[in-house]
């Protein structure tokens, strides 16, 4: 295995920093169980250093002409693309995701975000409000120091999706990656400095949940953006409220994918595969409740099983591999437990359900398909965050909508139909932040992304994210005399 040990556990003020007093973080390659790097969770001294330098760098950064800030972000995008191969390899080692995915969905998506926000930095402006003589103008100001906290599944992409709009608005960011995937954000921090960002503007502190918790309540912090589970979101949202801090919460889901009887079955099967087995099922927006019209359910399931059987499970660094291991053994154990729950609840196991033969080492698990699933089963109600698909059948449009919405989550939803009116009609009634018609899981940075209900608050990407990384100052300008009562 390549040497991926970073020069320090944290990247602060333009340089690697180490403090071995922090608890050890073992970075494990999910395909073999090998420890590939050893880091240390941030100590209070490291956290203080990161926040102090971010506070200083933010002032310098916000004072630059926006066009210059945009140029730095676009340079970051260029470097990410130039180094895509090396960054993708590192992401694969960090997460266990197949290289065929990381080459197209991680640093490249991060680069898209940096390019997008680099391009609009200079057009983040206020407005002028005429009052018939007097007028008001508004200034869109940065919030200050933002904290980003990431999940393990898309470490590079999450760090870019959070930092690009934050920095475009003139903020600094201290980013804490998931303790399970600590490597990639450090590379992004190096690249920011190389591209000309002031030292301290984007710092990375690695650590466990307690480090995240310490960041969220620190008086130097003005905003917190979390990508994580609902239970963590609830804690972080509450802790941020103590200091009336701004928040963005990108949380979990149990999203519906509805396949109507008039759908193109081959496309719907492709979408169901992407919505459940990409990244070995570790995607927040996955369409894990696949509602299929009863008339086509049998044909759909048969084709789905036939195609899923051809998936190549293997070494994630092999370009032929479609399905790699899960991020940790603990996460896999949780998924295997859900598979047992599904069986005991009476769902029919159509495919998979265990550890693939010949893959006893590493955190491998088979892509798993259940049919005959009902809404009350736990495998249909709870987020599993692994490659487990539940097929449910329905007979009317109204029924499909009602059942799709009967969840506390509201991250995403998909509809497959060849009836254009039905597609729009159904999507209009679905309680989800992101919907697809005849597609699934594509998240271009030009489109806002985020959840409703328990799946989150705020939006990432697009111009919408700017609202969540800036605040408006109103300035009243009087051209007339001041009237007073006496
Ligand atoms: N909506 C979205 O955009 C996405 C949501 N997710 C969700 O993330 C979850 C999986 O990721 P996990 O890493 O297991 O989530 P998690 O909630 O366990 O951890 C997320 C991050 O929060 C940190 N953390 C834990 N406790 C904390 C605390 N008290 N204060 C501050 N930070 C704390 C962790 O160290 C980690 O960096 C799933 O539920 C998934 O749906 C994942 C990717 C995208």
């Amino acid at each position: 295995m390549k040497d991926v040990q970073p020069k320090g556990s944290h990247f602060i003020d333009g340089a690697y920093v180490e403090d071995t007093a922090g608890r050890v973080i073992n970075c494990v390659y999910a395909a073999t169980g090998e420890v590939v790097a050893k880091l240390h969770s941030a100590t209070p001294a490291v956290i203080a250093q990161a926040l102090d330098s971010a506070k200083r760098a933010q002032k310098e950064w916000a004072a630059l002409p926006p066009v210059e800030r945009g140029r730095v972000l676009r340079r970051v995008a260029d470097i990410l693309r130039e180094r895509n191969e090396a960054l993708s390899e590192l992401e694969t080692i960090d997460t266990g995701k197949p290289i065929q995915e990381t080459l197209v969905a991680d640093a490249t998506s991060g680069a898209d975000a940096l390019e997008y926000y680099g391009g609009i930095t200079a057009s983040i402006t206020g407005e002028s409000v005429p009052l018939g003589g007097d007028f008001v103008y508004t200034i869109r100001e940065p919030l200050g120091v933002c904290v980003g906290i990431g999940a393990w599944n898309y470490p590079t992409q999450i760090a870019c999706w959070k930092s690009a709009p934050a920095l475009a608005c003139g903020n600094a960011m201290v980013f804490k990656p998931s303790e399970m995937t600590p490597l990639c954000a450090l590379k992004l921090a190096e690249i920011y400095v190389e591209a000309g960002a002031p030292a301290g503007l984007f710092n990375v502190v690695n650590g466990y949940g307690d480090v995240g918790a310490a960041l969220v309540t620190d008086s130097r912090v003005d905003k917190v953006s979390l990508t994580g589970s609902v239970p963590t979101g609830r804690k972080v949202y509450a802790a941020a409220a103590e200091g009336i801090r701004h928040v963005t919460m990108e949380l979990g889901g149990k999203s519906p994918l509805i396949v109507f009887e008039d759908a193109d079955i081959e496309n719907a099967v492709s979408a169901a595969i992407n919505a459940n087995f990409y990244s070995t099922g570790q995607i927040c927006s996955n369409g894990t409740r696949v509602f299929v019209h009863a008339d086509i359910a049998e044909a759909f399931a048969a084709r789905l099983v036939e195609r899923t059987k051809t998936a190549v499970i293997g070494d994630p660094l092999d370009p032929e591999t479609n399905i790699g291991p899960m991020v940790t053994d603990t996460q896999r154990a949780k998924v295997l437990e859900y598979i047992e729950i599904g069986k005991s609840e009476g769902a029919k196991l159509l495919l998979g359900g265990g550890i693939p033969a010949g893959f006893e080492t590493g955190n491998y698990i088979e892509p798993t398909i259940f049919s005959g699933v009902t809404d009350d089963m736990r495998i249909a109600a709870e987020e599993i965050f692994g490659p487990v698909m539940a097929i449910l059948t329905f007979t009317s449009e109204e029924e499909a909508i009602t059942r799709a919405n009967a969840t506390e989550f509201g991250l995403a939803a998909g509809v497959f139909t060849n009836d254009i009116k039905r597609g729009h009609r159904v999507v209009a009634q679905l309680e989800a932040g992101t919907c697809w018609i005849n597609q699934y899981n594509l998240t271009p940075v030009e489109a806002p992304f985020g959840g409703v209900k328990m799946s989150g608050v705020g939006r990432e990407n697009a111009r919408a994210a700017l609202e969540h990384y800036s605040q408006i100052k109103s300035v009243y300008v009087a051209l007339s005399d001041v009237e007073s009562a006496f």
Side-chain angles (χ1 to χ4, degrees):
M1 175 64 62
K2 226 174 142 167
D3 179 13
V4 294
Q5 176 67 42
K7 292 188 214 104
S9 296
H10 321 286
F11 193 94
I12 298 171
D13 213 8
Y16 276 97
V17 168
E18 187 57 279
D19 183 350
T20 53
R23 232 171 98 200
V24 169
I25 300 173
N26 280 322
C27 181
V28 176
Y29 182 43
T32 60
E34 186 189 340
V35 176
V36 292
K38 240 184 200 349
L39 289 82
H40 294 271
S41 187
T43 54
V46 166
I47 294 171
Q49 193 187 348
L51 291 171
D52 285 338
S53 69
K55 212 164 169 61
R56 198 198 56 242
Q58 191 268 325
K59 300 240 168 350
E60 186 188 330
W61 177 248
L64 288 177
V67 75
E68 272 185 42
R69 297 206 303 260
R71 206 173 295 137
V72 171
L73 300 189
R74 292 202 316 280
R75 239 180 263 137
V76 173
D78 290 345
I79 300 174
L80 285 169
R81 289 211 178 90
E82 274 161 36
R83 295 192 197 149
N84 185 39
E85 214 159 299
L87 292 168
S88 302
E89 202 181 298
L90 187 65
E91 177 99 356
T92 288
I93 294 168
D94 214 7
T95 60
K97 292 193 296 176
I99 190 90
Q100 63 169 233
E101 289 187 13
T102 53
L103 279 169
V104 297
D106 294 281
T108 49
S109 167
D112 287 351
L114 267 306
E115 187 172 9
Y116 178 85
Y117 289 105
I120 62 171
T121 299
S123 63
I124 303 171
T125 57
E127 58 181 356
S128 167
V129 185
L131 298 169
D134 292 2
F135 65 99
V136 166
Y137 67 90
T138 64
I139 308 171
R140 194 163 273 282
E141 296 182 334
L143 301 173
V145 174
C146 302
V147 161
I149 302 177
W152 80 71
N153 56 347
Y154 279 76
T156 304
Q157 189 197 80
I158 292 171
C160 292
W161 281 18
K162 292 193 189 307
S163 60
L167 271 49
C169 291
N171 303 285
M173 176 164 276
V174 175
F175 186 78
K176 191 201 86 64
S178 164
E179 56 272 35
M180 295 167 210
T181 52
L183 300 179
C184 294
L186 292 168
K187 288 285 167 204
L188 178 65
E190 276 184 44
I191 291 171
Y192 266 116
V193 171
E194 199 178 325
L201 188 71
F202 179 75
N203 292 327
V204 172
V205 296
N206 271 302
Y208 294 96
D210 60 327
V211 172
L215 287 167
V216 171
T217 47
D218 194 284
S219 61
R220 287 161 283 200
V221 172
D222 303 287
K223 169 173 182 136
V224 180
S225 175
L226 169 80
T227 296
S229 60
V230 171
T232 304
R234 204 181 269 126
K235 280 191 243 167
V236 171
Y237 201 171
E242 185 70 35
I244 319 288
R245 294 188 179 89
H246 299 250
V247 294
T248 297
M249 295 280 142
E250 291 293 347
L251 309 176
K254 189 75 190 178
S255 300
L257 168 58
I258 306 173
V259 183
F260 284 101
E261 65 278 20
D262 60 355
D264 178 316
I265 293 196
E266 208 55 24
N267 276 330
V269 166
S270 299
I273 288 171
N274 293 343
N276 284 272
F277 303 137
Y278 202 74
S279 301
T280 319
Q282 303 163 110
I283 299 184
C284 51
S285 51
N286 268 357
T288 45
R289 290 184 296 144
V290 181
F291 290 95
V292 186
H293 193 279
D295 290 356
I296 57 160
E298 216 166 295
F300 176 89
R303 187 66 183 129
L304 179 68
V305 167
E306 185 181 24
R307 285 181 52 188
T308 305
K309 275 185 182 163
T310 68
V312 179
I313 302 177
D315 173 2
L317 286 167
D318 179 343
E320 295 304 314
T321 293
N322 302 129
I323 297 190
M326 296 203 62
V327 70
T328 59
D329 186 34
T330 314
Q331 192 61 22
R332 179 180 63 173
K334 183 184 143 197
V335 178
L336 287 170
E337 201 181 310
Y338 269 112
I339 292 171
E340 290 313 310
I341 292 170
K343 286 191 218 162
S344 69
E345 286 175 321
K348 185 172 171 206
L349 184 64
L350 289 188
L351 190 71
I355 295 169
F359 289 95
E360 287 72 24
T361 310
N363 316 321
Y364 287 92
I365 185 165
E366 292 173 310
T368 298
I369 303 171
F370 279 109
S371 69
V373 179
T374 53
D375 300 348
D376 55 335
M377 291 183 186
R378 283 183 62 195
I379 59 163
E382 297 170 20
E383 185 183 45
I384 299 175
F385 220 61
V388 182
M389 185 193 307
I391 301 179
L392 309 96
T393 55
F394 69 93
T395 50
S396 79
E397 182 179 309
E398 199 189 338
E399 177 200 345
I401 294 166
T402 306
R403 290 172 59 197
N405 286 339
T407 167
E408 60 176 8
F409 298 110
L411 191 56
V415 175
F416 269 77
T417 176
N418 273 332
D419 177 344
I420 190 167
K421 286 198 226 162
R422 169 184 268 166
H424 294 289
R425 184 172 65 227
V426 171
V427 152
Q429 296 172 78
L430 291 174
E431 296 163 1
T434 300
C435 294
W436 293 275
I437 300 177
N438 295 330
Q439 187 54 271
Y440 206 86
N441 259 352
L442 293 188
T443 51
V445 299
E446 298 90 334
F449 181 79
V452 302
K453 293 156 70 178
M454 295 294 275
S455 292
V457 285
R459 290 293 176 269
E460 297 201 297
N461 289 339
R463 292 197 76 92
L466 302 176
E467 302 283 337
H468 304 290
Y469 283 105
S470 60
Q471 56 199 345
I472 292 170
K473 177 181 280 170
S474 270
V475 183
Y476 188 109
V477 183
L479 301 184
S480 50
D481 288 334
V482 178
E483 284 178 26
S484 66
F486 54 88

